[in-house]
Amino acid sequence: MSTLDLVWQAHKTADDLSNSLAVFYEDGYQAGITGLTESQRQTLAGQLGTLQRDLAKVGVVPPS
């Protein structure tokens, strides 16, 4: 897999995370909910972990 393919995969993963955040916000706002459910937190944590792994494949890692 080329580096550009890996960048595209990271972009798609980031888009999934962004979409989840937007849906959770919009659904919660309309319902008057002020927090996330445990299931939503787990979904976001999983997506964040995937994004971190995808970014690491292209050499993007958090500063130590």
Side-chain angles (χ1 to χ4, degrees):
M1 187 176 274
S2 75
T3 300
L4 286 180
D5 289 335
L6 294 171
V7 168
W8 184 250
Q9 180 59 49
H11 162 71
K12 291 190 317 184
T13 303
D15 194 42
D16 289 345
L17 177 59
S18 177
N19 288 337
S20 291
L21 286 165
V23 167
F24 296 160
Y25 170 78
E26 290 168 0
D27 290 351
Y29 186 80
Q30 291 175 0
I33 299 169
T34 60
L36 295 172
T37 66
E38 185 58 31
S39 175
Q40 290 169 326
R41 282 188 196 91
Q42 290 175 359
T43 297
L44 294 172
Q47 290 174 328
L48 177 60
T50 301
L51 179 56
Q52 289 171 323
R53 287 188 295 278
D54 287 352
L55 288 171
K57 290 176 186 175
V58 294
V60 178
V61 295
S64 52

